[in-house]
Amino acid sequence: MLDTSTVILLGRLADATGLPAEPMITAVTLAELSVGPLVASSPDEQSARQAHLQQAEADFDPLPFDAPAARAFGHVAASLRRSGRKSAARSFDAMIAATAISNGLALHTCNPDDFAHIDHLTVVPVPHPDHRD
C-alpha cells in the first residue's frame, strides 16, 4: 500500500523497484488528496494538486476504511500514545496505517518517520526524491 506522500511523489521517484508490484491506496489517501486543491495558495498549486487527485482516482480503486480498519485504528492510536505521540495530530496517517494492518499489507512511504512506533505495521521506506544521502 502507498501512503499519500508516496502517491504525490510517484512521478518523481528515481527508482520504483521498492514499490509493490500491485500498488494500492486507501480511501483516506483520496480524502487527503481532495483537500489539496481546496486549500491551495495559488492557481498553479491548485492545478497541480487537482492533477494528483484526478490521477489517483484514475489509477487506483481505493481500499475502504471499514470496520476491520476501525478496529485496527484503536491499536494504532494506542501504539502512538504509548510512544508519546498524539494520534490526533497524525489522524490521516493513523487511519492509513490501520487500513494497511487490517488488510495485511506493508506500507510504502517516503516519510517512514510518520509511521514510527506503530505496532504490527510493516513500513517499507521509499527514497524521497528531494533527500540525497
Side-chain angles (χ1 to χ4, degrees), residues 2-123:
L2 307 178
D3 82 320
T4 307
S5 67
T6 307
V7 171
I8 291 169
L9 295 169
L10 272 176
R12 296 182 46 219
L13 296 177
D15 182 8
T17 58
L19 297 178
E22 291 186 42
M24 298 179 190
I25 66 169
T26 72
V28 177
T29 289
L30 280 185
E32 278 191 287
L33 291 173
S34 73
V35 174
L38 302 173
V39 298
S41 60
S42 71
D44 287 344
E45 183 182 1
Q46 181 182 26
S47 178
R49 290 179 177 198
Q50 185 66 35
H52 280 121
L53 171 61
Q54 289 173 322
Q55 191 67 55
E57 288 173 332
D59 290 347
F60 299 101
D61 183 18
L63 293 170
F65 185 79
D66 55 10
R71 285 190 296 277
F73 180 84
H75 294 283
V76 169
S79 294
L80 291 171
R81 187 170 291 174
R82 281 191 300 273
S83 73
R85 298 174 70 196
K86 295 188 187 286
S87 59
R90 309 253 17 128
S91 58
F92 289 132
D93 289 343
M95 292 173 77
I96 290 168
T99 305
I101 292 166
S102 70
N103 284 279
L105 299 170
L107 185 66
H108 297 253
T109 178
C110 292
N111 297 321
D113 291 346
D114 290 351
F115 299 93
H117 308 293
I118 297 176
D119 295 342
H120 310 293
L121 177 66
T122 301
V123 176

